[in-house]
Amino acid sequence: MKPARFTLIPALGFALAAGLISAPPAGAQLQEDPQTLNSNALTAMKGNNWEEALKLLSRATELYDRNALQLFGPQFGVTWYRKGICELKLKRWDDAAESFEKCYSKYPNKGDKVDGAGNIFNKRALLRWGEAAQGAENYEQAIKMFKKFLEERDKTRDTFDPGSFYISLAICHLKINKIPEGVEHLETAIKNKVRFRTPDAGIVAGFQALVGAVTEKRDEKALLTFIDKNRADIVIDPFEMEIYSRLFLKLAADAMGADMEAGAIALYQLVPGTEVMIEDLKSRIQRLGSRDGMKELTRTLIKAKLQASLENLEKQRREGNPNETIQLGATAFIHEKHGNVRGAYAAYTQLELLYPKAKKREDNLYNLVRTSSIIGEVFDTETYGSRFLKTYPDSQYVPAVQRMMLTSLFYEGEYLTCIKVASEMLPKLSEKTKEHDICLHVLGGSYYYTGQYDKAQPLLDQHVEMYPESQFEQAALYFQASNLSRLQFWKKSAKLLDAFLAKYPDPSKNIYLPFALYDRANCHYAESENEAALTNLDRLESEFPNAEMIGMAYNLKGNVLQSSGDRDAAETYYKKALELAERRDNDMIAGESLFYLIAMLGEKPTKKDQPSRMKDAVPYSDKFWKEYGETSPYKTQVAVSQVHALGSVGRDEEALNRLRDVIAEMATIPGSPGLEEAINSYTDVYLTKHSADELKEHYYAFPKIRNNNKAALALLRIAIIGVYEKELKKAGDNRDAKIAAQASIDVLFKELKNDFDPKDLSPYILVSTGDFLREKTSAPRQALPYYDEALKRKDKSYLFPSLFGRASVLAEGSKEEQAKAIEDLRRVFNDSQEKPQRELALYGIVKTQMAQGEYEAAAETAKEYLSKDNGLNFSKFAPEVGLALAESYEKRDMTNDALANYVRVWSAYKGLIKISAPAMLSWMKLSWQRNNPGDEKTKGDRQGAYEQGWTYIDQTSRFTEKMTDDERKMWNQIQSLVEEYEASADITTMDKLKEEAAKK
């Protein structure tokens, strides 16, 4: 800016001489005359000492403005102009506006030309006045001043910076939300960037104002239109963008906050990559060489500033926080907001992989875990979740990450991984927390789904008890009930399933309803409640015809119908299950259906007039081996079931070879189900043409079974034992044959015990060995490890025999062991589907309770057995249970009840000496001891004891030759007691009674 030339001294002298103004003190004339003040102020302005300059110019206007127009003419307006410039620099906007107004309004030039005494800044003051108004955010006035300047300026003299001018004009319009006008002026500045020398800083400022305006009005279209139209002109060179990049990122964030996601993306795209900016800066610095800077069109390159930008970018990159972290985070947010969770997941993945040092890594990594969980990338959820927990163990997100890891894995069916993660996590979690709730549910559910029912049950029970209002309540209740059925706790499962079905009857709100109906039907079937089972299966079939397990339901319905004797209907449902399984490509159900058809149709008729359908089973057998035999778990059962069917069409050898091959194959699979049945079936077929000794030799060298396959070898030994046990029964009175057979059995069992660890044996062999050790040796407790091992197995085929065997041993032990025996027997009674097993279990409980001395409990159990009102209808052990009931009363000194029950026993089972004899003996003693006197109608206790004892001896004497030693001993005791009582003076003998009767 060229300073104005002042000619104020002559005029000032004239004024003083004329007495127009008062003269300042002589000392002040030299320092405060307008020329000196302006000159000193100009010097201060050149040195950017704006406060000092303003002080001098303010003094000048204070001293001379009142009469300056008369004294100095328009030229004094320059003082006001310079004062306004100082105030602009100091951002004293209102003062500056007032100074420029004085310059323009009070000191206009005379005429069209400005001579040496004129105000050369008169019109330019309008421009500065507008700038001051803009600074004061008085945008309407600023626009007015800018336009007025354009209208009044002298185009030859009042030059200005058009680039900055149109930027300011644009900003003012945009600030008052006149977006079209603002865009027009901004585009003018941009399109004429080179000619107007529009600075990049000005373009950025104008663009910032535009974004602010459209964001406020949420006019995203205006922003996108502007960017599309002017993209080439608004894109700033990468080397210059470093100083503006964070501003652009903030503008984008503002747009995103205004729900202008498309605008935000467009703004993010204007920021070049960090590497691009770094490379461009390096190139520019290299081109400068040793120079400190250089002019380049509308800008000046300063090496120090370029170097500072480069260092800042490299620091951001080194610390892991370049612009890309903000851009990717925003991109992820936008994607997820619009439902593209996978896009968000991809962005968070890049953040984690490329910028692991980012300041917001904790949030980024958490969001990566979260989004991977949502889209089902379960392995990434587990991987990144584990990384998060290790890196940020104290984070507020830890509980959420733990939940997501587990629930994501669980609902995607990664149960083994869930078990691994949840098992490690559960002990570290506090109870009664959401995290503990989820972990406990997932662990129990994962064990359930992987068939580890023993491990699942306590966890499922704990979850239901601890979290009755859990978000997983419905699933937890179903798992608990269903898992009990898998463990064959039929009664417990049935009770819980009934409660579950009653609580959640609405299928639209209970996804487990069809599964629960199936499980409940299975419980009914296990309890021989066939009608109730069919009711549930009929409902399942009618209401849920497309349910996942409907094929299983058809097979179960076939089982129920077959057990009810309706074989034709059973066949229909097995075929329906097969047809559905083939449509659904469900090889498992198809193989199961074929097995049921082969087993039912391939049975040998048990009656002479019963028609045979064995040949009808052959096509199903061939279909099974052709289409499903390679992978079906039912291959062993089919190989066993088809034997008679294939034999009926002359394919005996094929059946035997198939059995042999299946046995050899199954033998390689630890715990293979059905292997015992296959060996037993093979044994039966083999023995039709070979002797027991030949079988033994064959089994000791069975094809394809190696010597280290202990489980299979043990099964073969058991099969041989079974053959010799049959030989033992056939021996009859042949003493030598009996001795030989028993010797073989004893040797084989000893080999089993000595040569095989219980862990190597199948449940069948474990139970068989245990039974032998318990029943045939003098050390029955040796059987316990075998029963215990069988009970640990996943295969529950021999659950109840194992419980019976263990209970039999423990019942002879301590009170604690007897209590455990009762627990085992109660389990059998509650959950076995076989009536004989349940009856034997309840009888065993009575015996063990008596042995414990728990006579009251024994009496209650005995009454339960003998009751005719509870639907049990047990009778096999009624004599023994009745005797135990009577004994329980006697042990508790309940003499009258004891006598009444003893009478019931010996009167009902008089011919069963082992029961009636002890009952009679105890009754006689108790009656004699009570000694109630008789009257005219009833006999006294002692007379009655004598007479009934005498009668008993008389009526049972014909059985003496068939009595066992123990029975004969008790019978003799009764006879001796009768003789003793007969010698008593209180007794009328039977001879005397007969004599008196004869006289009558």
Side-chain angles (χ1 to χ4, degrees), residues 505-534:
D506 187 350
S508 66
K509 298 178 181 178
N510 181 2
I511 63 173
Y512 302 103
L513 183 56
F515 296 93
L517 287 172
Y518 173 82
D519 288 336
R520 188 62 183 97
N522 204 29
C523 288
H524 280 307
Y525 175 57
E527 294 289 304
S528 299
E529 299 165 357
N530 288 352
E531 288 301 321
L534 288 174

Side-chain angles (χ1 to χ4, degrees), residues 588-609:
M588 175 74 75
I589 301 301
E592 182 185 22
S593 305
L594 287 168
F595 160 59
Y596 290 142
L597 286 166
I598 296 165
M600 183 176 72
L601 299 176
E603 285 181 341
K604 266 187 177 182
T606 55
K607 299 178 181 178
K608 291 183 179 180
D609 58 345

Side-chain angles (χ1 to χ4, degrees), residues 137-187:
E137 299 182 0
N138 189 351
Y139 302 114
E140 295 279 4
Q141 185 184 35
I143 293 171
K144 181 180 178 181
M145 294 300 105
F146 289 143
K147 290 183 176 180
K148 190 174 180 66
F149 169 71
L150 286 180
E151 293 170 358
E152 297 184 8
R153 76 183 181 92
D154 186 327
K155 295 183 180 180
T156 61
R157 184 176 63 251
D158 295 320
T159 59
F160 66 103
D161 183 350
S164 297
F165 176 82
Y166 282 105
I167 291 293
S168 294
L169 199 55
I171 290 173
C172 289
H173 280 93
L174 292 168
K175 288 293 187 179
I176 58 175
N177 288 322
K178 291 185 176 182
I179 296 175
E181 295 90 337
V183 168
E184 179 184 356
H185 294 304
L186 183 57
E187 288 181 340

Side-chain angles (χ1 to χ4, degrees), residues 1-14:
M1 184 188 303
K2 187 177 181 180
R5 187 179 218 180
F6 279 77
T7 55
L8 298 175
I9 296 301
L12 181 58
F14 173 79

Side-chain angles (χ1 to χ4, degrees), residues 460-668:
L460 297 173
D461 292 340
Q462 182 184 359
H463 185 271
V464 169
E465 180 180 357
M466 189 173 289
Y467 300 104
E469 298 181 359
S470 169
Q471 62 178 315
F472 308 108
E473 177 191 11
Q474 186 182 96
L477 290 173
Y478 171 69
F479 291 163
Q480 181 191 34
S482 180
N483 196 76
L484 283 168
S485 73
R486 305 301 194 271
L487 290 170
Q488 300 183 30
F489 284 102
W490 304 115
K491 288 187 179 298
K492 289 182 181 179
S493 176
K495 182 178 179 181
L496 293 178
L497 285 167
D498 286 340
F500 176 80
L501 290 167
K503 186 171 186 177
Y504 302 107
D506 187 350
S508 66
K509 298 178 181 178
N510 181 2
I511 63 173
Y512 302 103
L513 183 56
F515 296 93
L517 287 172
Y518 173 82
D519 288 336
R520 188 62 183 97
N522 204 29
C523 288
H524 280 307
Y525 175 57
E527 294 289 304
S528 299
E529 299 165 357
N530 288 352
E531 288 301 321
L534 288 174
T535 298
N536 281 285
L537 291 169
D538 289 343
R539 181 186 172 192
L540 184 57
E541 185 177 0
S542 62
E543 295 182 25
F544 306 98
N546 299 314
E548 182 180 340
M549 85 303 299
I550 196 67
M552 297 168 58
Y554 287 158
N555 276 332
L556 178 58
K557 193 168 185 178
N559 294 159
V560 177
L561 291 167
Q562 184 179 349
S563 69
S564 299
D566 193 347
R567 296 168 68 89
D568 290 339
E571 183 178 353
T572 298
Y573 272 94
Y574 292 145
K575 289 179 178 178
K576 286 180 70 172
L578 176 61
E579 180 184 353
L580 178 64
E582 290 181 331
R583 286 204 311 269
R584 292 183 174 182
D585 292 325
N586 191 327
D587 291 354
M588 175 74 75
I589 301 301
E592 182 185 22
S593 305
L594 287 168
F595 160 59
Y596 290 142
L597 286 166
I598 296 165
M600 183 176 72
L601 299 176
E603 285 181 341
K604 266 187 177 182
T606 55
K607 299 178 181 178
K608 291 183 179 180
D609 58 345
Q610 182 179 345
S612 171
R613 295 195 62 191
M614 290 190 291
K615 292 181 180 180
D616 295 337
V618 175
Y620 294 116
S621 175
D622 291 339
K623 180 181 180 66
F624 177 87
W625 295 112
K626 179 180 179 181
E627 300 180 21
Y628 307 104
E630 288 297 320
T631 58
S632 175
Y634 294 96
K635 63 171 62 179
T636 305
Q637 291 94 320
V638 171
V640 172
S641 302
Q642 71 178 5
V643 169
H644 298 304
L646 292 181
S648 70
V649 294
R651 294 162 61 179
D652 312 68
E653 196 66 26
E654 178 184 341
L656 190 63
N657 290 339
R658 176 73 72 179
L659 263 176
R660 184 192 61 207
D661 292 343
V662 167
I663 290 170
E665 181 182 348
M666 293 292 103
T668 62

Side-chain angles (χ1 to χ4, degrees), residues 22-35:
S22 300
Q29 290 185 25
L30 296 177
Q31 297 180 3
E32 294 193 340
D33 60 88
Q35 185 178 24

